[in-house]
């Protein structure tokens, strides 16, 4: 298993309140979220790569001494996560399964164990408990994603996307081809997940419910405070 953490963005919604990338926030005992995540992944013998951009030198400092491969997205202000992953495209080879995660997501080890056990070609973590509030939603039928977006109405929502997905080695080459094609068409301002959504009828996207475990993506300062409170408990 190989993992790619996407950490190039500025985090505009929270940048008015903090002066550094949100995945570098201290979640307890002086440990940045990104270092906590890397350590957790490495406990399971997962090779970790990170795509950086905004204030990248801080990531080098935060992860000093850890066996991590870095990739750089120098166009982080004018692109999105699909471009970040494109800069690491040569490392995507069909010899293993891949875990892709937004670096600003905190998740319990039980959640990691759940997705590692998935045998599907495409598995996206989702929270079936949360549909009234959240950031990005799925409508699912028999556990498969059929609609997706930030603007799904509450009746359309089945679950909230967690920000973590697993792509199996049987699908990696096709995934890579579609991603490259999208970049060549100058579609570089979208999320990397759009590659999956673009042909979900042909290649079904399976969801895996994270209940009853804890997770939180840091979009606002309240999300960060919720993580710290959970860890302190």
């Amino acid at each position: 298993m190989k993992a790619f953490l996407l950490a190039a963005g500025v985090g505009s919604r929270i940048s008015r309140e903090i002066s550094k990338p949100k995945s570098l926030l201290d979640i307890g005992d002086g440990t940045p979220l990104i270092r906590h995540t890397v350590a957790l992944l490495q406990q399971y013998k997962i090779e970790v790569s990170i795509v950086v951009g905004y204030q990248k030198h801080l990531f080098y400092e935060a992860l000093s001494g850890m066996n991590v491969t870095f990739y750089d997205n120098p166009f982080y202000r004018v692109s999105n996560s699909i471009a970040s992953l494109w800069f690491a495209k040569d490392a995507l080879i069909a010899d293993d399964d891949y875990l892709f995660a937004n670096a600003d997501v905190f998740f319990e080890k039980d959640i990691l164990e759940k997705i590692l056990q998935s045998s599907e070609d495409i598995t996206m973590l989702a929270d079936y408990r949360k549909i009234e509030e959240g950031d990005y939603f799925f409508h699912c039928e028999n556990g498969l994603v059929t609609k997706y977006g930030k603007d799904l109405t509450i009746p359309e929502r089945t679950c909230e996307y967690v920000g973590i997905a697993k792509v199996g080695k049987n699908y990696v080459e096709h995934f890579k081809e579609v991603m490259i094609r999208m970049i060549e068409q100058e579609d570089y301002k979208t999320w990397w997940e759009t590659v999956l959504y673009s042909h979900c009828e042909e290649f079904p996207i399976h969801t895996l419910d994270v209940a009853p475990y804890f997770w939180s993506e840091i979009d606002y300062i309240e999300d960060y405070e919720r993580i710290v409170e959970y860890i302190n408990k």
Side-chain angles (χ1 to χ4, degrees):
M1 171 69 69
K2 299 175 182 177
F4 279 82
L5 302 179
L6 302 169
V10 175
S12 57
R13 283 179 289 188
I14 200 173
S15 61
R16 293 184 296 272
E17 301 179 70
I18 63 173
S19 59
K20 60 184 176 181
K22 48 193 176 178
S23 59
L24 291 174
L25 290 172
D26 177 6
I27 60 171
D29 298 328
T31 303
L33 171 58
I34 190 73
R35 192 173 182 95
H36 165 85
T37 302
V38 170
L40 176 59
L41 293 170
Q42 291 181 342
Q43 284 181 27
Y44 291 81
K45 310 301 181 184
I46 298 173
E47 295 180 26
V48 181
S49 296
I50 302 175
V51 186
V52 295
Y54 176 59
Q55 296 192 10
K56 58 186 179 182
H57 65 284
L58 296 180
F59 287 92
Y60 302 150
E61 294 172 6
L63 297 169
S64 176
M66 303 191 83
N67 185 18
V68 174
T69 301
F70 287 98
Y71 295 89
D72 182 20
N73 174 6
F75 307 113
Y76 58 87
R77 288 195 183 274
V78 294
S79 65
N80 210 325
S81 60
I82 189 172
S84 291
L85 200 52
W86 181 88
F87 279 101
K89 64 184 183 301
D90 292 339
L92 299 176
I93 53 179
D95 66 342
D96 214 336
D97 297 335
Y98 287 81
L99 191 70
F100 299 119
N102 298 325
D104 61 348
V105 179
F106 174 89
F107 53 94
E108 290 188 87
K109 69 174 183 177
D110 301 272
I111 291 177
L112 176 60
E113 290 179 354
K114 257 189 151 181
I115 197 167
L116 292 181
Q117 293 169 4
S118 172
S119 60
E120 307 293 349
D121 286 334
I122 306 172
T123 303
M124 303 185 80
L125 290 180
D127 194 333
Y128 279 70
R129 299 167 294 188
K130 301 175 64 176
I131 58 171
E132 284 78 19
E133 298 180 355
D135 186 54
Y136 199 93
F137 299 95
F138 293 151
H139 173 79
C140 300
E141 296 180 11
N142 298 318
L144 302 179
V145 175
T146 58
K147 295 182 183 179
Y148 41 85
K150 289 178 173 287
D151 300 323
L152 290 184
T153 64
I154 291 179
E156 292 178 300
R157 300 172 188 172
T158 305
C159 52
E160 181 186 10
Y161 173 48
V162 170
I164 302 171
K166 180 182 175 184
V167 171
K169 58 186 176 183
N170 295 328
Y171 175 72
V172 168
E173 284 298 328
H174 185 75
F175 171 86
K176 182 177 175 179
E177 290 172 5
V178 174
M179 177 183 67
I180 292 173
R181 190 182 313 133
M182 292 175 69
I183 293 294
E184 289 174 346
Q185 295 170 351
E186 300 185 16
D187 193 6
Y188 52 79
K189 291 187 177 181
T190 189
W191 299 287
W192 76 266
E193 292 94 340
T194 307
V195 177
L196 306 180
Y197 305 146
S198 67
H199 50 250
C200 61
E201 294 183 359
E202 182 182 2
F203 297 94
I205 299 174
H206 297 257
T207 56
L208 190 61
D209 189 7
V210 299
Y213 305 114
F214 178 85
W215 71 279
S216 182
E217 182 177 16
I218 303 177
D219 285 324
Y220 302 99
I221 199 68
E222 292 81 7
D223 301 323
Y224 166 64
E225 291 170 347
R226 185 164 55 251
I227 294 172
V228 173
E229 179 184 5
Y230 170 80
I231 291 175
N232 287 338
K233 286 182 179 179

